[in-house]
Amino acid sequence: KNEVEQSPQNLTAQEGEFITINCSYSVGISALHWLQQHPGGGIVSLFMLSSGKKKHGRLIATINIQEKHSSLHITASHPRDSAVYICAVPPRGGGADGLTFGKGTHLIIQP
Amino acid sequence: KAGVTQTPRYLIKTRGQQVTLSCSPISGHRSVSWYQQTPGQGLQFLFEYFSETQRNKGNFPGRFSGRQFSNSRSEMNVSTLELGDSALYLCASEGTPSYNEQFFGPGTRLTVL
């Protein structure tokens, strides 16, 4: 089973700061997901990436398949970015475990 | 297109009772996955259904079960509730089970007293 580690667990920053959240995993994968969960529980899929970099607005996700590592960056952070960010990896070869999730990074952006 | 819906949104039960949660996927989606989220363990995979068949099951006791109907709606059932079953239960749907992009519902928050 893939072990997924995220860091940091908690992050508090000031509005406008550049934010980086890291995710590493133990077993090679074909793709990785970044999810966002706001208070109240709803989860939104931000990115699925299998190589290189993806950008959506102020969010950038990168992945290095060889190093088994991915990062999520937020530029010009804003209080509305406050949420829990979770990385997740799918099972290998359509295996039986469903998505495996990191424990999440609780981000607070202060005005 | 309507999103994934889950009912009820909140539920309070006592130990020993059983509970049934419902998930209606996005129209046209035939794959439904269920997840449990607790503060201690985070998000964990429960099971996945596709075309009324359970494809995968996570490492949970047999008290946790589910099913999927011909219209792709899915239910999960927990029997003989324990305090540790208090959690947010999320379902997610996809067109087919590829794990490319799962659309999550708002979740059902279950409290066991």
Side-chain angles (χ1 to χ4, degrees), chain B residues 13 17-18 45 49 71 89 104:
Chain B
K13 292 285 188 179
Q17 287 187 309
Q18 76 163 23
F45 170 72
Y49 287 88
N71 62 357
Y89 291 88
F104 285 82

Side-chain angles (χ1 to χ4, degrees), chain B residues 53-106:
Chain B
T53 301
Q54 185 181 90
R55 288 184 75 239
N56 297 313
K57 189 176 196 298
N59 189 24
F60 280 83
R63 300 184 297 107
F64 290 81
S65 63
R67 59 179 174 168
Q68 187 179 34
F69 301 95
S70 58
N71 62 357
S72 295
R73 188 177 71 85
S74 177
E75 289 181 346
M76 66 162 281
N77 185 78
V78 188
S79 62
T80 320
L81 283 166
E82 300 177 0
L83 295 179
D85 297 332
S86 294
L88 180 67
Y89 291 88
L90 292 151
C91 76
S93 78
E94 272 189 290
T96 54
S98 63
Y99 299 103
N100 283 334
E101 186 176 14
Q102 294 195 327
F103 293 86
F104 285 82

